[in-house]
């Protein structure tokens, strides 16, 4: 019986977490495509397919990678490449912040978009983000470029999870933990331990849990702080034309989002109220018993 080995493409593969992904996946006898700007001796020693000279901030460089890959199928695309620069409010460097956006957020989107023809139904896309991009988890400030770019990357992942789901492609948004790499001055858990857990999250990824923001240990991480609103505030936020129908809808939480109020009609098609010219289109939406969000 022939066993299909999955093909994994990993960016930022020459060291740190990226290299460890390659090492562990090769040990699992998966097919590994290691993408990096500059290769390394250790990476070549793994015997995996190495595609170096790739700058993920360059459209031309990514187009060249796409041509090199041809019609090679990618089962799992791991967007791992990233950079971190420390900035405080007193030492802001806007060129550095822009560079972190280009690498950490736009680079992953460029790669994913360019390699869509290589993905198929059943493929997976992984974005290596950070809990430092979580608004709820920011208790210390600073690191403006890194935090902002990782928050943007997480939003990329969330949008991709919606856009790719109809194609049968699931998306994971992963935080590796504090890992011993050059980025952290080699403080934290080992790359081996982190990647072992990350691969478990990737193995468990399905269309049912696509778009989830996970810690490597399996914990679902918060995106943002809950927005607490009073009933009066919700009433004031309701579109004009619906306020007189207040008794016809109920507040329903929107799964995956804590700061959007979703109103769903209940018992509105009783024939007692028809939309009139002064009732908004949103009222017609509610009358048809569909959700309306604002």
């Amino acid at each position: 019986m022939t066993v299909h080995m999955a093909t994994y493409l990993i960016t930022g593969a020459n060291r740190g977490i990226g290299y460890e992904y390659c090492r562990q996946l090769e040990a699992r006898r998966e097919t590994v495509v290691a993408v990096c700007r500059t290769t390394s001796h250790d990476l070549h020693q793994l015997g995996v397919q190495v595609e170096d000279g790739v700058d993920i901030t360059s459209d031309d460089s990514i187009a060249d990678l796409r041509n090199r890959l041809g019609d090679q199928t990618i089962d799992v695309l791991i967007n791992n490449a990233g950079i971190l620069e420390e900035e405080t409010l007193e030492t802001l460097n806007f060129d550095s912040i822009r560079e972190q956006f280009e690498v950490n957020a736009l680079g992953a989107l460029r790669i994913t978009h360019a390699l869509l023809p290589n993905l198929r139904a059943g493929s997976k896309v992984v974005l290596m983000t950070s809990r430092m991009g979580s608004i709820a988890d920011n208790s210390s400030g600073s690191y403006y470029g890194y935090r902002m770019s990782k928050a943007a990357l997480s939003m990329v992942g969330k949008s991709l999870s919606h856009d790719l789901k109809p194609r049968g492609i699931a998306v994971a948004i992963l935080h590796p933990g504090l890992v011993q790499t050059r980025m952290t001055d080699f403080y934290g858990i080992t790359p081996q331990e982190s990647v072992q857990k990350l691969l478990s999250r990737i193995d468990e990824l399905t269309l049912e849990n696509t778009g989830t923001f996970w810690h490597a240990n399996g914990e679902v991480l918060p995106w943002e702080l809950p927005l607490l609103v009073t009933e009066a505030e919700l009433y004031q936020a309701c579109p004009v034309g619906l306020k007189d129908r207040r008794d016809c809808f109920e507040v329903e939480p929107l799964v995956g989002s804590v700061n959007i109020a979703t109103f769903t009609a209940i018992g509105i098609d009783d024939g007692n109220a028809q939309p009139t010219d002064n009732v908004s289109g949103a009222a017609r939406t509610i009358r048809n018993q569909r959700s309306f969000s604002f």
Side-chain angles (χ1 to χ4, degrees):
M1 182 178 75
T2 301
V3 178
H4 171 69
M5 306 284 40
T7 297
Y8 289 71
L9 186 146
I10 303 103
T11 66
N14 62 329
R15 63 173 182 257
I17 293 172
Y19 169 79
E20 187 59 27
Y21 265 126
C22 295
R23 191 189 70 81
Q24 291 194 28
L25 288 167
E26 194 282 330
R28 281 178 22 170
R29 299 296 184 262
E30 311 286 7
T31 300
V32 176
V33 182
V35 174
C36 54
R37 291 189 65 171
T38 306
T39 188
S40 65
H41 174 74
D42 289 343
L43 185 59
H44 275 291
Q45 288 294 103
L46 293 179
V48 301
Q49 177 183 342
V50 176
E51 300 293 346
D52 60 354
V54 178
D55 178 0
I56 65 170
T57 69
S58 165
D59 292 333
D60 290 341
S61 183
I62 292 176
D64 177 62
L65 172 65
R66 171 75 181 88
N67 290 333
R68 288 191 235 170
L69 295 175
D71 59 0
Q72 184 174 5
T73 296
I74 298 171
D75 296 296
V76 182
L77 168 59
I78 302 177
N79 289 285
N80 169 74
I83 58 174
L84 179 152
E85 300 289 343
E86 182 178 1
E87 310 98 5
T88 66
L89 189 58
E90 291 72 31
T91 62
L92 286 180
N93 182 327
F94 288 98
D95 289 335
S96 171
I97 291 173
R98 289 188 189 94
E99 183 183 17
Q100 288 173 85
F101 262 97
E102 284 288 345
V103 175
N104 296 346
L106 296 181
L109 183 57
R110 282 191 180 97
I111 283 281
T112 303
H113 181 260
L115 299 185
L116 283 177
N118 300 85
L119 303 176
R120 58 176 179 80
S123 290
K124 302 178 181 183
V125 174
V126 177
L127 303 178
M128 295 300 300
T129 184
S130 170
R131 70 189 307 163
M132 287 183 71
S134 166
I135 296 172
D137 199 62
N138 185 352
S139 60
S140 58
S142 295
Y143 294 94
Y144 286 87
Y146 191 73
R147 290 188 187 278
M148 293 162 66
S149 63
K150 289 298 188 178
L153 178 61
S154 295
M155 185 57 74
V156 166
K158 193 64 176 178
S159 288
L160 285 173
S161 72
H162 292 297
D163 293 337
L164 295 179
K165 189 173 184 177
R167 306 188 189 196
I169 299 170
V171 178
I173 306 162
L174 300 181
H175 167 61
L178 184 60
V179 183
Q180 297 172 13
T181 65
R182 286 172 52 178
M183 192 178 286
T184 63
D185 289 330
F186 300 97
Y187 177 80
I189 65 174
T190 65
Q192 292 87 343
E193 179 182 351
S194 175
V195 170
Q196 184 178 21
K197 294 177 180 179
L198 289 166
L199 287 175
S200 294
R201 304 288 79 75
I202 296 170
D203 291 342
E204 295 166 359
L205 175 63
T206 67
L207 290 176
E208 284 66 44
N209 57 27
T210 184
T212 303
F213 182 18
W214 277 302
H215 192 292
N217 64 16
E219 175 190 359
V220 176
L221 295 173
W223 291 101
E224 53 195 16
L225 292 171
L227 178 64
L228 301 179
V229 295
T230 64
E231 182 181 0
E233 288 171 328
L234 286 173
Y235 180 66
Q236 288 300 316
C238 182
V240 174
L242 295 184
K243 290 180 180 179
D244 58 338
R245 303 304 314 282
R246 182 175 177 180
D247 59 335
C248 292
F249 55 83
E250 61 182 353
V251 178
E252 176 182 284
L254 183 65
V255 175
S257 239
V258 293
N259 68 339
I260 299 177
T262 300
F263 293 87
T264 303
I266 55 174
I268 201 166
D269 282 332
D270 56 5
N272 296 326
Q274 298 296 323
T276 61
D277 290 340
N278 65 344
V279 178
S280 69
R284 295 182 181 88
T285 298
I286 285 185
R287 181 174 177 274
N288 290 330
Q289 295 190 344
R290 293 195 297 270
S291 295
F292 171 70
S293 302
F294 61 92

